[in-house]
């Protein structure tokens, strides 16, 4: 049984708190016409440190935030208390903390973003998206990448992946719009029985109001996302930009520049058109079951 509490998962994570606080501080600084250099001088830090703080890439000290708010002329006690509380929350452990020894920093960052997203658009070419995997299928996928690990480590990694799925049980669950390549339905990860159970679970998931699932058929030939799998995450806070997530074997790439995000948004938009429409997904899945 996972040791991760549902309430902890719903609370989000420190990464998004840092992004929120950084964006708020940047707006306050710019509204006063204060340079990053002058802001850094106030908290005994460099201009680059202020830049990293405003991008949410470093932690925050409450004292530093308090000094910056004074510099930026924030006198409203409620606003100051709100931002100081946010600074405190940036240093709290994420919901995934019990599994921290298994996770590289770059993936901890993703888990925080995923738990805070309001919309997740994803394209997969080899595996079922993690949020839609069954426990047996997830174990088979994990065994591929961690075949040298002990049974206990594999068990904990499976626990973690199942804990991630709790985000879909929340009242404010993110909407998931997933496109998978038809090859995912043919590749017997874990064997035919495991794949069958996974496809049946996908058919059930496709009926959920917050999940939209489409399949890019082989007959489509080349398509807009031929470069590989990716996800685009959108957040309810308007000050936070969409983030594109590209996972590699030993690292990941996060893109949030407008022009880069727009390229991927256009690609996924074309995928939604090129894939079979959502109302045909169950038919495609049932056909894949018959072919197993």
């Amino acid at each position: 049984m996972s040791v991760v509490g549902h309430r902890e998962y719903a609370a989000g994570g420190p990464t998004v708190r840092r992004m929120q606080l950084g964006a708020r501080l940047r707006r306050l600084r710019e509204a006063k016409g204060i340079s990053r250099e002058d802001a850094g001088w106030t908290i005994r830090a460099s201009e680059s440190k202020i830049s990293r703080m405003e991008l949410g890439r470093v932690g925050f000290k409450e004292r530093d935030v308090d000094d910056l708010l004074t510099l930026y002329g924030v006198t409203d006690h409620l606003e100051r208390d709100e931002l100081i509380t946010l600074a405190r929350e940036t240093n709290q452990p994420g919901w995934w903390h019990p599994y921290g020894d298994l996770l590289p920093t770059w993936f901890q960052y993703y888990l925080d973003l995923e738990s805070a997203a309001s919309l997740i658009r994803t394209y997969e070419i080899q595996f079922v998206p993690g949020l839609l995997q069954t426990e047996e299928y997830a174990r088979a996928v994990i065994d591929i990448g961690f075949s040298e690990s002990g049974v206990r480590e594999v068990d904990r990694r499976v626990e973690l992946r199942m804990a991630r799925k709790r985000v879909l049980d929340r009242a404010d669950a993110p909407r998931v719009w997933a496109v998978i390549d038809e090859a995912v339905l043919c590749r017997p990860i874990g064997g035919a029985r495991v794949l069958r159970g996974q496809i049946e679970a996908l058919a059930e998931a496709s009926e959920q109001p917050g999940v939209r699932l489409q399949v890019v058929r082989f007959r489509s030939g080349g398509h807009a996302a031929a470069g590989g799998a990716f996800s685009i995450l959108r957040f309810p806070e308007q000050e936070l930009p969409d983030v594109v997530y590209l996972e590699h074997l030993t690292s990941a790439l996060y893109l949030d520049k407008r022009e880069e995000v727009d390229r991927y948004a256009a690609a996924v938009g074309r995928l939604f058109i090129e894939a079979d429409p959502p109302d045909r997904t169950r038919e495609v899945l049932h056909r894949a079951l018959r072919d197993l």
Side-chain angles (χ1 to χ4, degrees):
M1 181 179 294
S2 171
V3 298
V4 179
H6 188 85
R7 183 189 64 79
E8 291 177 295
Y9 191 95
T15 298
V16 173
R17 298 288 189 271
R18 289 197 298 267
M19 292 169 64
Q20 290 176 297
L21 181 55
R24 294 278 294 275
L25 291 175
R26 183 183 68 250
R27 288 204 306 272
L28 290 169
R29 178 183 60 77
E30 291 175 345
K32 288 293 184 179
I34 296 171
S35 68
R36 290 193 181 96
E37 183 179 6
D38 288 341
W41 177 265
T42 298
I43 62 170
R44 301 154 299 280
S46 65
E47 178 182 355
S48 62
K49 173 69 176 294
I50 294 295
S51 178
R52 293 195 300 274
M53 290 173 66
E54 292 181 349
L55 291 171
R57 293 176 181 171
V58 293
F60 290 84
K61 295 179 181 178
E62 292 178 43
R63 175 186 171 185
D64 288 345
V65 173
D66 190 61
D67 288 345
L68 288 174
L69 293 178
T70 298
L71 176 66
Y72 300 158
V74 179
T75 57
D76 182 271
H77 292 297
L78 291 178
E79 184 175 7
R80 290 183 73 99
D81 288 347
E82 177 190 356
L83 294 174
I84 292 296
T85 298
L86 196 54
R88 190 176 302 122
E89 291 175 350
T90 66
N91 297 309
Q92 294 177 353
W95 70 265
W96 40 260
H97 181 69
Y99 304 99
D101 58 308
L102 301 176
L103 302 171
T105 302
W106 56 264
F107 193 60
Q108 295 174 12
Y109 185 72
Y110 177 77
L111 293 178
D112 276 347
L113 296 180
E114 182 180 76
S115 68
S118 58
L119 171 64
I120 301 172
R121 290 168 288 176
T122 187
Y123 169 63
E124 284 286 351
I125 58 176
Q126 184 171 3
F127 302 119
V128 169
L131 288 177
L132 302 178
Q133 291 180 7
T134 65
E135 183 170 343
E136 286 190 308
Y137 185 91
R139 184 177 297 277
V141 171
I142 290 167
D143 278 336
I144 293 173
F146 299 92
S147 58
E148 302 301 319
S149 302
V151 174
R152 177 55 185 155
E153 179 178 329
V154 171
D155 286 346
R156 292 180 66 216
R157 290 185 181 277
V158 174
E159 285 179 3
L160 171 64
R161 189 156 300 183
M162 294 301 101
R164 281 176 60 192
K165 295 176 63 175
R166 293 181 183 177
V167 70
L168 299 181
D169 298 329
R170 291 185 344 210
D172 62 342
R175 291 173 294 133
V176 176
W177 194 341
V179 179
I180 61 174
D181 194 273
E182 189 175 5
V184 173
L185 306 177
C186 304
R187 188 171 288 110
I189 303 295
R193 182 187 64 81
V194 171
L195 180 59
R196 178 177 294 275
Q198 177 63 77
I199 295 175
E200 290 172 347
L202 285 176
E204 293 179 9
S206 68
E207 296 296 308
Q208 297 178 14
V211 176
R212 179 173 291 188
L213 178 65
Q214 294 179 251
V215 180
V216 177
R217 306 290 297 280
F218 291 134
R219 66 189 182 203
S220 297
H223 52 76
F230 63 91
S231 296
I232 308 175
L233 297 94
R234 176 166 294 171
F235 308 96
E237 299 83 6
Q238 292 188 355
E239 68 266 22
L240 300 184
D242 289 1
V243 174
V244 176
Y245 173 71
L246 303 167
E247 185 173 322
H248 307 300
L249 186 61
T250 59
S251 64
L253 187 62
Y254 295 87
L255 307 175
D256 60 8
K257 292 182 179 179
R258 182 64 178 271
E259 60 271 19
E260 295 174 323
V261 173
D262 285 350
R263 289 283 299 274
Y264 278 90
V268 80
R270 289 196 296 272
L271 274 176
F272 294 152
I273 296 171
E274 295 166 358
D276 276 14
D279 60 7
R280 292 195 58 191
T281 296
R282 286 183 67 87
E283 176 188 338
V284 174
L285 295 175
H286 289 155
R287 183 181 299 112
L289 284 174
R290 290 195 299 269
D291 292 342
L292 280 177

